[in-house]
Every structure is written in structure tokens, then in C-alpha cells.
Amino acid sequence: MFEKHVRRDQWDHWESRVEANTHRILRLLDQHGVKATFFLLGWIGERYPQLVRDIHACGHEIGSHGYWHRLIYQQTPAEFRADLRRSREVLEDTIGQRVTAHRAASFSITEKSLWALEILVEEGFLVDSSIFPIRHDRYGIPGAEPRLHCLTTAAGPLWEFPPSVARFAGLNVPVSGGGYFRLYPLRLTLRLLRRINRRERQPFVFYLHPWEVDPGQPRMHAASRTSRFRHYVNLGRNERKLDRLLRRFRFGRLCDVVPPPPSSTPAGHAARQLAVPVDRLL
């Protein structure tokens, strides 16, 4: 949301809070016995390799969030492939293990960038969690399949585990975490997530970013009012809400829910996925 105001070549000039914030989340997950999937930027992995190793040593899955947090639909296929490879190589060299899960920056696999799915398969990825089945000004494919499903590409199959939505009044209501979790009353979030589990008998995806447990982070006053609202709303309450959420559901890593390699549509999986995209954040 702040790309216009902080250029990528300036990231190193800002105070980094990602290590402390990520360790806050790691401690909270450990308290609840939860293992998660962490989607990390290659930029983070390159500068904070010990953080990547700490996450991996705690038993969490490491996935790719790209290298530069660039929107896919603003890249060419060649640029996306190069960014994806750079991220994966950094992360795999750090943990000594294959990285097969991907989440696009800002859910930027849209109708304009579906070509990215074939590249993911060609590059050895088995699962993606980037296609948000909602209408939004920055991302989303409103008619996309909302459940865990296997896609067919020219390069082969790929599991897609979309950010979760609950069907309400004929609309897909986003209930996956992030800003929606900060904005909604906790009671509403719990109600909608239970609906996915109990009525639809489906697992759900829940995600958050390390900066979302950091109410003391600097304010970007030059950003638009909309961007500032989306980024800062209810930061002070979020860690307590997350603690309460973790008490009410059983969560698992993406690799615990999706059977590799993708070959058939799964049924009856009881685990939920907790995804933590680790971006370059102030």
C-alpha cells in the first residue's frame, strides 16, 4: 500500500521491525502448539537468514512470497519468473529444503495474470494461495472457485488454496485475516469461519502479517487516507484477537492440508491453514 512512498532501493534506510514482530508471532504460535506456513520475501531471506532458519527450526513451513513484493500483473512473465526463482533460491539455500508453496504479493494473480500459474508449475511449485474469490480494487477474481481445488495448466497440475470467503447474502465475504480480521468484530470472524467448517465442511485459510501485531510502528502520513486506514486500523487490538482465535480452531501448515503432488481433489480435511506472509515491513 505504501509502494509509492517508499522505493525498494530505500528499504534498507528504514528501521527494520520484521525480526521482533515475527518472533512475537512465533512465541504466540508456540503457546498454542500451532504450526503455520510462512510466506517469506526473498529480500527478507537474503538479509535476515537467521530469521528464516528460526522459523524453519520451529517446525513451520517456508513458502515463497516473491523477492521484491511486486504485483504480478505489473510484471512481464519473464520478470515474474526471474523474481520467483531468486526468491526460491534464497530460501532453499537458507533452509536446505525445497520450497513448493507460493503466495503472490497482494493476491495479484487475477484475470490479467493467470499466466503466472503455468510458470509456477514449470518452476516446481505444487500449491498456490493467491486467487482471492472476491471483488476488490487491487486484486480478486469474483467468480473463482472458493475451495481448495486442483487447477490444470499446460505445464501440469497445481493446487490452489484460495484465501477463504464465507457465503453471506449471496456474496463472497472475505474472512481470511489481514485487514478483514482487524476490521471485523471477533465474534463475526469466528461465526463466519465456523460456517465454513461446519456448514460447508471445508478447511479455511487464515493469514496475517508480522506488522499486524505491531501498533507502535511508524506512521506513513504521506499515504492516502484509504491506504492509511487499511494499514493501521485496529492494530492495537490485533494480537489479543489472534490469541483468542488460536484458542478456538485447530490450525496446520499448508503442506499438512494439501496432498503433494496435486493429483485429485481432496475431501474431508479437518485442518485449517495459517499463513504468515513475511514482507518488507516497517
Side-chain angles (χ1 to χ4, degrees), residues 93-255:
D93 287 348
T94 302
I95 64 173
Q97 186 173 313
R98 284 187 68 200
V99 170
T100 60
H102 171 264
R103 208 209 87 175
S106 300
F107 308 110
S108 53
I109 296 184
T110 68
E111 290 179 344
K112 296 184 293 184
S113 53
L114 289 173
W115 46 261
L117 299 171
E118 185 174 342
I119 292 175
L120 286 171
V121 176
E122 291 171 349
E123 294 299 321
F125 286 83
L126 303 177
V127 60
D128 176 68
S129 184
S130 306
I131 300 178
F132 215 142
I134 63 169
R135 190 177 303 280
H136 190 276
D137 60 337
R138 286 170 56 88
Y139 53 75
I141 302 178
E145 170 60 53
R147 300 177 182 84
L148 173 62
H149 60 288
C150 188
L151 296 169
T152 300
T153 78
L158 178 72
W159 286 109
E160 179 65 33
F161 199 168
S164 291
V165 296
R167 197 71 177 165
F168 189 78
L171 300 172
N172 284 345
V173 177
V175 66
S176 310
Y180 305 107
F181 183 59
R182 288 182 283 119
L183 181 62
Y184 297 169
L186 180 61
R187 183 176 298 180
L188 176 61
T189 296
L190 296 176
R191 175 185 174 188
L192 294 178
L193 292 178
R194 288 193 191 102
R195 175 179 296 187
I196 295 172
N197 273 176
R198 296 176 181 176
R199 184 181 300 180
E200 301 178 22
R201 301 183 65 81
Q202 294 290 322
F204 62 73
V205 172
F206 184 88
Y207 73 93
L208 76 158
H209 304 80
W211 57 264
E212 292 182 289
V213 297
D214 182 12
Q217 64 189 270
R219 265 36 181 182
M220 188 64 62
H221 298 292
S224 70
R225 186 174 299 177
T226 299
S227 292
R228 294 199 309 271
F229 176 79
R230 286 175 174 174
H231 190 90
Y232 299 120
V233 64
N234 292 333
L235 285 177
R237 307 174 185 175
N238 211 41
E239 190 169 0
R240 293 191 301 273
K241 289 175 69 175
L242 177 60
D243 179 69
R244 293 175 64 185
L245 177 78
L246 292 173
R247 296 174 187 273
R248 286 166 168 77
F249 296 97
R250 181 168 60 91
F251 291 92
R253 304 170 301 176
L254 191 66
C255 60

